[in-house]
Amino acid sequence: MIHDLGCGSGAMGRWLAPLLPGPQHWVEHDRDADLLAAAAANLPGPAANGAAVTVEAKHSDITRLQPGDLTDATLITVSALLDLLTEEELSRLVDACAGGGCPVLLTLSVVGRVRLSPPDPMDGRVAAAFDTHQRRSTERGRLLGPDAVALAADEFARLGATVRVWPSPWRLGALQSELASEWLIGWVAAACEQQLELAGETGVYTRRRLAQARAGQLEVTVEHADLLILP
């Protein structure tokens, strides 16, 4: 039984299921009904040895899982989520995962390092504002943003687990120019939302960067980290 927490459209299952052997039953958790429907409609392929893979969609708020909710798990996966949690929510998630007594794979968590080539004087200012935006206060509390990886590693280690951390950078170049453009627009927009005075200074910067992306001249590296937790 594999529990995929905050599954979104089910991309983790579609990537990982074909890499694992044996029959698999994935329980896809999300609180967004539309995303759950997409996950159920786009099932993973067969396992690495051709065994069947089945999927169960479960509407749930993973920030409120209890330590006993995942006791049937043989593997727990989480992707691109830790930085969106508050410290309290992360602590509850760690306790719930530890209660499963099985390996936990936490992938694609941002760590607050972005590199663009060629460099531009505005890069650092936009990056700093974006990181502050990721740590912004919400009605749920302050989001962890780039601090989430270190805190999660400490929390699992405190519970006696073995924690392994690997870099997992996004690298966007000429072959990913459309994705790089989409990322850039969202990156700058979040920075300007956090630091309003940037809005009047990033118009020319954004147009210049988008032109570089379209010409295949922009390379972007967004650092992430993956964690493997072994009980």
Side-chain angles (χ1 to χ4, degrees):
M1 186 86 70
I2 301 173
H3 287 263
D4 186 17
L5 308 182
C7 68
S9 63
M12 171 64 83
R14 290 191 294 276
W15 168 71
L16 185 57
L19 302 178
L20 301 177
Q24 301 169 40
H25 181 69
W26 284 71
V27 182
E28 304 278 18
H29 295 255
D30 209 287
R31 61 185 180 187
D32 188 314
D34 291 336
L35 289 176
L36 280 175
N42 296 278
L43 302 179
N49 62 348
V53 177
T54 57
V55 172
E56 171 189 347
K58 188 167 186 177
H59 190 265
S60 64
D61 182 349
I62 65 165
T63 66
R64 300 190 178 279
L65 289 172
Q66 299 300 311
D69 289 344
L70 303 174
T71 54
D72 59 351
T74 56
L75 173 66
I76 298 168
T77 63
V78 180
S79 181
L81 178 70
L82 297 187
D83 45 284
L84 301 177
L85 301 177
T86 66
E87 185 171 353
E88 181 181 354
E89 290 169 344
L90 178 63
S91 182
R92 286 200 298 265
L93 181 66
V94 168
D95 287 343
C97 290
C102 65
V104 182
L105 178 62
L106 307 161
T107 66
L108 291 178
S109 295
V110 298
V111 293
R113 293 190 296 273
V114 174
R115 296 191 304 277
L116 293 89
S117 180
D120 187 286
M122 282 292 295
D123 294 345
R125 292 183 61 195
V126 176
F130 178 82
D131 285 348
T132 302
H133 182 268
Q134 288 218 300
R135 296 183 176 101
R136 67 192 181 278
S137 295
T138 71
E139 60 183 13
R140 294 163 27 232
R142 189 182 71 84
L143 303 184
L144 290 170
D147 304 323
V149 169
L151 186 57
D154 288 346
E155 287 279 311
F156 277 109
R158 177 180 57 81
L159 296 175
T162 298
V163 181
R164 298 177 180 173
V165 183
W166 287 276
S168 182
W170 284 358
R171 293 189 175 96
L172 308 176
L175 297 179
Q176 300 84 26
S177 59
E178 289 188 13
L179 182 56
S181 295
E182 290 182 17
W183 171 84
L184 180 80
I185 291 169
W187 185 60
V188 173
C192 292
E193 182 179 319
Q194 180 64 37
Q195 192 172 324
L196 297 179
E197 59 270 27
L198 278 178
E201 303 178 51
T202 53
V204 173
Y205 169 80
T206 302
R207 289 192 293 274
R208 181 168 61 248
R209 285 308 204 185
L210 290 176
Q212 291 170 336
R214 288 192 296 270
Q217 299 170 345
L218 181 66
E219 295 182 357
V220 178
T221 301
V222 185
E223 299 288 350
H224 293 73
D226 295 346
L227 295 86
L228 177 63
I229 314 300
L230 301 174

